Amino acid sequence: YAFPELQPLEVKLPAKRRGRLADERITDIKFDPSGLLLAAASMDQQVHLLRVQRPEPPKVNRGRGPGSGNTCHLTFQRSLMGNTASVMQLSFLAGAKVLMTNSADGQVMFFNPETGDRLAAAAARDADWTDPWTCPFGWPTVGVWAAKRLSSQQINSVCSVQASGSDPLLSSQGGLLASGDGKGLLSLFRFPAIEEHQASRDFRAHSAQVTSVRFTLDPEEELQVPPAKARPDDSLGNFGGLLCSLGGSDRAFLQWRGVPPSQGQS
């Protein structure tokens, strides 16, 4: 495997922040679709926005190493306030015109990242989101909560993967949603998960809570979700690439590969 090249990073913060972006630890970070805005959620109940200045093409300084043009610059833009508990997840919606946050107390809030203003929930109605979906609270995940009947603090992480391909029937079936909960279960749902009795397939390998789940697709493979009428409700198809899950107290990092149900769980 090839490792990515590392670049120097320069962060410009206001003097009043005393060299620190947040007062408490960072819980989630996301780039907007352009890659020029970085949002960092924090346990200090705020989201901190930084403007990204991409590095210029490498400059060669003979005998003195890389030139200053290799440095990536981050400039503090603003902090979004209004959450009453630690901000745990965030996501860009509507082409980065809306930033959605999930807090530890189950609150969902919406902001305009350009102005910092808080927005009504109607601003996110029918808005496209940046794949994958990683917020436990939101319209595409209501079926997870209804099916498992869990409290607001028991689903630690979710991640979606969308079906793709030229087949319009296949593409119209959505994708898969993985969730990791406080009981150590990794679950797979059809995405979006919006049914009251949403079917799922549950897998247990962690001996403690699952703190994070993420799909990583092989670029040469596509998610395959058979049409609903052609399979049982609990048959969720298969996906290329891997699903990674991170445990808490067990300190385990697990990799899962999707296979057709007839081949067993993997």
Side-chain angles (χ1 to χ4, degrees):
Y1 294 93
F3 287 92
E5 294 184 1
L6 301 181
Q7 298 173 333
L9 180 66
E10 181 182 51
V11 182
K12 298 179 181 179
L13 299 173
K16 64 180 181 180
R17 291 193 169 268
R18 303 184 299 277
R20 298 183 60 183
L21 176 63
D23 294 330
E24 299 184 42
R25 72 178 179 90
I26 300 298
T27 55
D28 192 16
I29 59 173
K30 291 286 193 317
F31 285 95
D32 75 341
S34 71
L36 299 178
L37 184 66
L38 177 64
S42 172
M43 296 191 74
D44 63 9
Q45 303 180 9
Q46 301 178 56
V47 175
H48 307 285
L49 302 180
L50 299 105
R51 185 63 61 180
V52 181
Q53 181 181 350
R54 294 176 177 172
E56 299 175 0
K59 297 179 180 179
V60 178
N61 295 340
R62 294 182 179 178
R64 290 178 291 178
S68 60
N70 293 329
T71 302
C72 182
H73 298 274
L74 296 179
T75 303
F76 176 79
Q77 184 170 340
R78 63 174 50 86
S79 293
L80 307 179
M81 296 176 285
N83 283 280
T84 56
S86 300
V87 183
M88 305 307 294
Q89 291 91 10
L90 54 82
S91 183
F92 284 100
L93 308 176
K97 295 180 180 179
V98 178
L99 179 67
M100 185 182 78
T101 64
N102 283 185
S103 59
D105 59 359
Q107 189 177 32
V108 180
M109 298 188 69
F110 303 91
F111 298 89
N112 182 330
E114 290 298 325
T115 64
D117 295 333
R118 182 177 172 181
L119 302 174
R125 183 178 300 164
D126 299 326
D128 294 331
W129 58 79
T130 303
D131 292 330
W133 181 276
T134 57
C135 288
F137 304 109
W139 173 81
T141 62
V142 293
V144 177
W145 299 95
K148 291 187 170 292
R149 305 184 186 281
L150 300 175
S151 69
S152 62
Q153 297 181 345
Q154 288 185 287
I155 297 293
N156 297 323
S157 178
V158 299
C159 184
S160 69
V161 59
Q162 292 280 10
S164 60
S166 58
D167 186 341
L169 180 60
L170 177 65
S171 300
S172 67
Q173 299 305 312
L176 296 178
L177 178 75
S179 73
D181 64 31
K183 298 180 179 180
L185 281 180
L186 176 71
S187 302
L188 284 180
F189 299 83
R190 294 190 66 192
F191 183 77
I194 56 175
E195 301 295 334
E196 183 177 357
H197 301 287
Q198 189 82 34
S200 68
R201 298 191 70 187
D202 300 329
F203 306 86
R204 183 179 293 278
H206 288 277
S207 61
Q209 71 274 21
V210 181
T211 60
S212 184
V213 293
R214 289 294 184 271
F215 283 102
T216 169
L217 283 181
D218 185 327
E220 296 183 357
E221 299 185 42
E222 294 180 347
L223 173 65
Q224 298 177 13
V225 181
K229 294 182 180 180
R231 58 185 171 80
D233 290 342
D234 63 350
S235 175
L236 296 169
N238 61 297
F239 54 89
L242 297 171
L243 171 62
C244 302
S245 61
L246 182 65
S249 301
D250 64 2
R251 295 178 172 85
F253 177 79
L254 304 181
Q255 296 179 328
W256 308 74
R257 181 173 294 280
V259 297
S262 59
Q263 298 180 21
Q265 297 181 358
S266 174

